[in-house]
Amino acid sequence: MPSYSFRRASSALLFFSPIVSFICAPLDAREPVRARHAMVVASQPAEQVGLEVLRKGGNAIDAAIAVGFALNWAYPFAGALGGGGFMTIRLADGTSTFIDFREEAPAKASKAMYLDANGNPTRESLTGWKSSGVPGTVRGFEMAQRKYGKLKWAEDLAPAIAMASKGFPAPYALAESLRNARSVSANAESKRVFQRDGAFYEQGDIVTFPDLARTLTRIAENGADEFYLGETARTLAAAMEANGGLITLDDLKNYKAVERTPLTGKYRNYTVITAPPPSAGGLGILQMLAMLEGTGYEKGGFGSASALHYEAEVMRRFYADRNQYLGDPDFVKNPIAGLLDPAYIAARRGSIDPAHATPSSAVGPGKPAGAESSETTHFDVVDEQGNAVSVTFTLNGGYGNGITVPGLGFLLNNEMDDFTSKPGVPNLFGLVQGEANTIAPGKRPVSSMAPTIVLRDGKLFAVLGGPGGSRIPSAILQAFLAVVDFGMSPQDAVDAPRIHHQWLPDRITMERGISPDTLDLLKARGHDVRYEAGPVTAEVEMIVIDGGWLQGAGDPRRSGAAAGY
Ligand code: DON
């Protein structure tokens, strides 16, 4: 539960004073959860599992792993034994690292595997057994735990196993989401496990996941080898073979998590540590911040048409580069240095017209040096020692491809759709991508996920990230700017309505909290602007460390919750 809101109370009092009312926060402003020592932000009730592990003496890495395993029952929409993701870590000693446990294309995958006889994309990258890449989560968690955790592996898994077998009262959001999950209803095993064969869970019903608890228990006893070589691997590979899927025992055996150097960049007196390729999201955050720096974009105030105009223009320019240049770094050369080079950024910034939208047809990818022609969830942990972990992982679409391997109790990803099935044709997130991200055996698809850690004057300042496909980098950007350029509390920054532009389609979409007036002002600058069809863009979960407090902000768009001590 959020802590008592002093600001809300004081705002209510000040509201009646004409003299000071202009300085009071809006009445709906919310306070972050505050704590002195440690903080976890995750989809509820998984944040409680993280807190339990911290209180038992685990560090931030232990807590992150506990939360990650717990999300398989707390948030099966994305919680991702059958998927993959990224973890950004900054240790209290000042070193930082990045663990890439992104899914990989199986050995039988091929460049044109999702094209029909006429060369048009089929839906097989999204639905059915062929849509899954080799899951990476368990190997990634194992790597992080062995190298950086403090407790025993089995201790990190224990609370997730206990909750999956004992059960917990379904939060409203979980019950509703499971009831409405059509891809889950379409698969007999998923329907049995997640929808009680049609006797849907109601809010408050006790939900148990006994198959998942057994799978997690074997993983706790036998380590990640259980998932990649053991009974779990054999069951998964046999089900793939029986159903025309591609993943074999060899694919599982060969999967490796990769430790990479995070991308790092500067914005004012902040250092941003974020995800390198195969994520495009980290590059995006650094490029967009660098393009904004020094423009004075913030002068019109938070949510003003002039600020949103600049934000949309830097988004447009980043996404054009993203779609052209990025691919798995083990397969293609990513011109990262060129894309972040100050002269290149200055030229991109210089092409922004302060008063008019630049049509995307006139933008296109830039020419950085070194270029060759050629449903997700996020959580953050900070512990008492100052170790910080930011994790985003996913099954891609909500509930992945909706398939549960019989007896294993977890859903499979449809991450293969993040590859370019056909250059120039939009994927699930409308991204129109190029050759660098085409399918090859063992290759990892480009991701937008960008778990990020920020330092201020060299000291830990923020841990943030979020789900939302292509909208992840733009959402993280806006939440961060809301805190550092517009002085908002982390909770208000997370709650505030956001916009999104991704080059193609050439359009700004905005959440409904932004006024029709602002929409009209952006139209007058030449933007095609529309309100989101759905209620939200992407979510952001954030911890800010300021004034001796850890301030946790969960995103209400998807039942994010913060807890600390
Ligand atoms: O890696 C990516 O960019 C996507 N597979 C993330 C999917 C996602 O965020 C879905 N959640 N809303």
Side-chain angles (χ1 to χ4, degrees), residues 206-239:
I206 299 299
V207 193
T208 56
F209 292 115
D211 289 351
L212 174 67
R214 277 189 288 275
T215 301
L216 291 176
T217 303
R218 290 196 306 275
I219 294 173
E221 285 165 0
N222 307 325
D225 279 357
E226 164 61 30
F227 192 93
Y228 294 92
L229 305 167
E231 182 186 331
T232 309
R234 289 190 295 275
T235 310
L236 171 56

Short mmCIF file of all heavy atoms in Angstrom, two decimals, residues 206-239:
data_model
loop_
_atom_site.label_atom_id
_atom_site.label_comp_id
_atom_site.label_asym_id
_atom_site.label_seq_id
_atom_site.Cartn_x
_atom_site.Cartn_y
_atom_site.Cartn_z
N ILE A 206 -8.57 -18.31 -4.09
CA ILE A 206 -7.18 -18.77 -3.90
C ILE A 206 -6.71 -19.45 -5.19
O ILE A 206 -7.33 -20.41 -5.66
CB ILE A 206 -7.08 -19.73 -2.70
CG1 ILE A 206 -7.50 -19.01 -1.41
CG2 ILE A 206 -5.66 -20.28 -2.56
CD1 ILE A 206 -6.65 -17.80 -1.03
N VAL A 207 -5.64 -18.91 -5.75
CA VAL A 207 -5.08 -19.47 -6.99
C VAL A 207 -3.88 -20.32 -6.63
O VAL A 207 -2.98 -19.85 -5.92
CB VAL A 207 -4.56 -18.35 -7.93
CG1 VAL A 207 -4.28 -18.89 -9.31
CG2 VAL A 207 -5.51 -17.19 -7.99
N THR A 208 -3.85 -21.54 -7.13
CA THR A 208 -2.65 -22.36 -6.93
C THR A 208 -2.14 -22.82 -8.29
O THR A 208 -2.92 -22.96 -9.24
CB THR A 208 -2.94 -23.63 -6.09
OG1 THR A 208 -3.99 -24.35 -6.73
CG2 THR A 208 -3.32 -23.30 -4.67
N PHE A 209 -0.83 -23.06 -8.37
CA PHE A 209 -0.22 -23.55 -9.61
C PHE A 209 0.65 -24.76 -9.27
O PHE A 209 1.89 -24.66 -9.24
CB PHE A 209 0.62 -22.45 -10.26
CG PHE A 209 -0.20 -21.30 -10.78
CD1 PHE A 209 -0.07 -20.03 -10.22
CD2 PHE A 209 -1.09 -21.48 -11.83
CE1 PHE A 209 -0.82 -18.96 -10.71
CE2 PHE A 209 -1.85 -20.41 -12.32
CZ PHE A 209 -1.72 -19.16 -11.75
N PRO A 210 0.03 -25.93 -9.04
CA PRO A 210 0.81 -27.09 -8.58
C PRO A 210 1.84 -27.58 -9.61
O PRO A 210 2.95 -27.96 -9.22
CB PRO A 210 -0.25 -28.16 -8.31
CG PRO A 210 -1.55 -27.64 -8.83
CD PRO A 210 -1.42 -26.17 -9.03
N ASP A 211 1.51 -27.55 -10.90
CA ASP A 211 2.51 -28.02 -11.90
C ASP A 211 3.73 -27.10 -11.89
O ASP A 211 4.87 -27.56 -11.92
CB ASP A 211 1.91 -28.01 -13.31
CG ASP A 211 0.87 -29.10 -13.51
OD1 ASP A 211 0.74 -29.95 -12.60
OD2 ASP A 211 0.19 -29.09 -14.55
N LEU A 212 3.46 -25.80 -11.84
CA LEU A 212 4.55 -24.83 -11.81
C LEU A 212 5.39 -25.04 -10.55
O LEU A 212 6.64 -25.01 -10.59
CB LEU A 212 3.99 -23.41 -11.84
CG LEU A 212 5.01 -22.30 -11.67
CD1 LEU A 212 5.95 -22.23 -12.87
CD2 LEU A 212 4.33 -20.94 -11.49
N ALA A 213 4.72 -25.29 -9.42
CA ALA A 213 5.46 -25.50 -8.16
C ALA A 213 6.39 -26.70 -8.30
O ALA A 213 7.53 -26.67 -7.84
CB ALA A 213 4.48 -25.71 -7.00
N ARG A 214 5.91 -27.76 -8.97
CA ARG A 214 6.78 -28.95 -9.15
C ARG A 214 7.96 -28.62 -10.07
O ARG A 214 9.09 -29.01 -9.81
CB ARG A 214 5.96 -30.11 -9.73
CG ARG A 214 5.19 -30.89 -8.64
CD ARG A 214 4.56 -32.15 -9.20
NE ARG A 214 3.43 -31.83 -10.07
CZ ARG A 214 2.18 -31.62 -9.63
NH1 ARG A 214 1.90 -31.72 -8.34
NH2 ARG A 214 1.21 -31.35 -10.48
N THR A 215 7.68 -27.89 -11.16
CA THR A 215 8.79 -27.51 -12.07
C THR A 215 9.81 -26.67 -11.32
O THR A 215 11.02 -26.90 -11.41
CB THR A 215 8.23 -26.73 -13.29
OG1 THR A 215 7.28 -27.55 -13.96
CG2 THR A 215 9.33 -26.33 -14.25
N LEU A 216 9.33 -25.69 -10.55
CA LEU A 216 10.25 -24.82 -9.81
C LEU A 216 11.03 -25.60 -8.76
O LEU A 216 12.21 -25.32 -8.51
CB LEU A 216 9.49 -23.66 -9.15
CG LEU A 216 8.89 -22.62 -10.09
CD1 LEU A 216 8.08 -21.58 -9.30
CD2 LEU A 216 9.96 -21.91 -10.90
N THR A 217 10.37 -26.58 -8.15
CA THR A 217 11.07 -27.40 -7.14
C THR A 217 12.21 -28.17 -7.79
O THR A 217 13.32 -28.25 -7.25
CB THR A 217 10.07 -28.38 -6.46
OG1 THR A 217 9.03 -27.60 -5.90
CG2 THR A 217 10.74 -29.21 -5.39
N ARG A 218 11.95 -28.73 -8.98
CA ARG A 218 13.05 -29.45 -9.66
C ARG A 218 14.18 -28.48 -10.02
O ARG A 218 15.36 -28.81 -9.92
CB ARG A 218 12.52 -30.13 -10.94
CG ARG A 218 11.59 -31.32 -10.67
CD ARG A 218 11.43 -32.18 -11.92
NE ARG A 218 10.99 -31.42 -13.09
CZ ARG A 218 9.73 -31.13 -13.40
NH1 ARG A 218 8.76 -31.54 -12.60
NH2 ARG A 218 9.43 -30.45 -14.48
N ILE A 219 13.81 -27.27 -10.44
CA ILE A 219 14.85 -26.27 -10.78
C ILE A 219 15.63 -25.88 -9.53
O ILE A 219 16.85 -25.70 -9.55
CB ILE A 219 14.22 -25.04 -11.47
CG1 ILE A 219 13.63 -25.44 -12.84
CG2 ILE A 219 15.24 -23.92 -11.66
CD1 ILE A 219 12.84 -24.35 -13.54
N ALA A 220 14.91 -25.77 -8.41
CA ALA A 220 15.60 -25.43 -7.14
C ALA A 220 16.58 -26.54 -6.77
O ALA A 220 17.69 -26.27 -6.31
CB ALA A 220 14.57 -25.22 -6.03
N GLU A 221 16.18 -27.80 -7.00
CA GLU A 221 17.04 -28.92 -6.58
C GLU A 221 18.19 -29.15 -7.55
O GLU A 221 19.31 -29.46 -7.14
CB GLU A 221 16.19 -30.20 -6.49
CG GLU A 221 15.31 -30.20 -5.24
CD GLU A 221 14.22 -31.26 -5.29
OE1 GLU A 221 14.12 -32.00 -6.29
OE2 GLU A 221 13.44 -31.32 -4.31
N ASN A 222 17.93 -29.02 -8.84
CA ASN A 222 18.93 -29.43 -9.85
C ASN A 222 19.58 -28.27 -10.58
O ASN A 222 20.36 -28.48 -11.50
CB ASN A 222 18.27 -30.35 -10.89
CG ASN A 222 17.54 -31.51 -10.24
OD1 ASN A 222 18.00 -32.02 -9.21
ND2 ASN A 222 16.42 -31.92 -10.79
N GLY A 223 19.23 -27.04 -10.24
CA GLY A 223 19.80 -25.89 -10.93
C GLY A 223 19.21 -25.71 -12.32
O GLY A 223 18.27 -26.40 -12.72
N ALA A 224 19.81 -24.78 -13.06
CA ALA A 224 19.28 -24.47 -14.40
C ALA A 224 19.40 -25.67 -15.34
O ALA A 224 18.64 -25.78 -16.31
CB ALA A 224 20.02 -23.28 -14.98
N ASP A 225 20.33 -26.59 -15.05
CA ASP A 225 20.45 -27.79 -15.90
C ASP A 225 19.13 -28.55 -15.98
O ASP A 225 18.86 -29.21 -16.98
CB ASP A 225 21.53 -28.73 -15.35
CG ASP A 225 22.92 -28.27 -15.76
OD1 ASP A 225 23.01 -27.28 -16.52
OD2 ASP A 225 23.90 -28.90 -15.32
N GLU A 226 18.32 -28.44 -14.95
CA GLU A 226 17.01 -29.10 -14.97
C GLU A 226 16.18 -28.61 -16.18
O GLU A 226 15.57 -29.38 -16.89
CB GLU A 226 16.26 -28.80 -13.66
CG GLU A 226 14.77 -29.08 -13.67
CD GLU A 226 14.43 -30.54 -13.94
OE1 GLU A 226 15.24 -31.41 -13.57
OE2 GLU A 226 13.37 -30.79 -14.54
N PHE A 227 16.24 -27.30 -16.41
CA PHE A 227 15.43 -26.71 -17.47
C PHE A 227 16.02 -27.02 -18.86
O PHE A 227 15.31 -27.14 -19.84
CB PHE A 227 15.36 -25.19 -17.28
CG PHE A 227 14.32 -24.52 -18.14
CD1 PHE A 227 13.03 -24.30 -17.67
CD2 PHE A 227 14.63 -24.12 -19.44
CE1 PHE A 227 12.08 -23.68 -18.47
CE2 PHE A 227 13.69 -23.51 -20.24
CZ PHE A 227 12.41 -23.28 -19.75
N TYR A 228 17.35 -27.14 -18.92
CA TYR A 228 18.01 -27.25 -20.22
C TYR A 228 18.48 -28.67 -20.56
O TYR A 228 18.75 -28.97 -21.73
CB TYR A 228 19.19 -26.27 -20.29
CG TYR A 228 18.67 -24.84 -20.26
CD1 TYR A 228 18.52 -24.15 -19.05
CD2 TYR A 228 18.25 -24.21 -21.42
CE1 TYR A 228 18.00 -22.86 -19.02
CE2 TYR A 228 17.73 -22.92 -21.40
CZ TYR A 228 17.61 -22.25 -20.20
OH TYR A 228 17.07 -20.98 -20.18
N LEU A 229 18.58 -29.55 -19.54
CA LEU A 229 19.07 -30.91 -19.80
C LEU A 229 18.19 -31.96 -19.14
O LEU A 229 18.25 -33.13 -19.51
CB LEU A 229 20.50 -31.09 -19.24
CG LEU A 229 21.58 -30.11 -19.68
CD1 LEU A 229 22.82 -30.24 -18.80
CD2 LEU A 229 21.96 -30.37 -21.13
N GLY A 230 17.42 -31.58 -18.13
CA GLY A 230 16.72 -32.55 -17.28
C GLY A 230 15.31 -32.88 -17.75
O GLY A 230 14.96 -32.72 -18.92
N GLU A 231 14.51 -33.29 -16.77
CA GLU A 231 13.13 -33.72 -17.07
C GLU A 231 12.34 -32.60 -17.76
O GLU A 231 11.59 -32.83 -18.71
CB GLU A 231 12.44 -34.11 -15.76
CG GLU A 231 11.02 -34.62 -15.94
CD GLU A 231 10.34 -34.85 -14.59
OE1 GLU A 231 11.05 -35.15 -13.59
OE2 GLU A 231 9.09 -34.72 -14.55
N THR A 232 12.54 -31.37 -17.29
CA THR A 232 11.81 -30.23 -17.89
C THR A 232 12.20 -30.10 -19.37
O THR A 232 11.34 -29.92 -20.24
CB THR A 232 12.14 -28.93 -17.13
OG1 THR A 232 11.93 -29.17 -15.74
CG2 THR A 232 11.28 -27.77 -17.59
N ALA A 233 13.49 -30.21 -19.66
CA ALA A 233 13.97 -30.09 -21.05
C ALA A 233 13.37 -31.21 -21.91
O ALA A 233 12.88 -30.96 -23.02
CB ALA A 233 15.49 -30.16 -21.07
N ARG A 234 13.39 -32.42 -21.37
CA ARG A 234 12.89 -33.56 -22.16
C ARG A 234 11.40 -33.41 -22.44
O ARG A 234 10.92 -33.65 -23.54
CB ARG A 234 13.19 -34.88 -21.44
CG ARG A 234 14.68 -35.23 -21.46
CD ARG A 234 14.93 -36.65 -20.97
NE ARG A 234 14.57 -36.83 -19.56
CZ ARG A 234 15.37 -36.54 -18.52
NH1 ARG A 234 16.58 -36.08 -18.73
NH2 ARG A 234 14.96 -36.74 -17.28
N THR A 235 10.65 -32.97 -21.43
CA THR A 235 9.20 -32.80 -21.60
C THR A 235 8.92 -31.71 -22.63
O THR A 235 8.06 -31.86 -23.51
CB THR A 235 8.54 -32.44 -20.26
OG1 THR A 235 8.98 -33.37 -19.28
CG2 THR A 235 7.03 -32.46 -20.34
N LEU A 236 9.67 -30.62 -22.53
CA LEU A 236 9.47 -29.49 -23.46
C LEU A 236 9.82 -29.91 -24.89
O LEU A 236 9.06 -29.66 -25.84
CB LEU A 236 10.33 -28.30 -22.99
CG LEU A 236 10.47 -27.08 -23.88
CD1 LEU A 236 9.09 -26.51 -24.24
CD2 LEU A 236 11.28 -25.99 -23.17
N ALA A 237 10.96 -30.56 -25.07
CA ALA A 237 11.39 -30.94 -26.42
C ALA A 237 10.43 -31.97 -27.02
O ALA A 237 10.11 -31.90 -28.22
CB ALA A 237 12.81 -31.50 -26.37
N ALA A 238 9.93 -32.89 -26.20
CA ALA A 238 8.99 -33.91 -26.72
C ALA A 238 7.70 -33.24 -27.16
O ALA A 238 7.13 -33.58 -28.21
CB ALA A 238 8.73 -34.97 -25.65
N ALA A 239 7.23 -32.27 -26.36
CA ALA A 239 5.98 -31.58 -26.73
C ALA A 239 6.18 -30.77 -28.01
O ALA A 239 5.29 -30.71 -28.87
CB ALA A 239 5.54 -30.67 -25.58
#
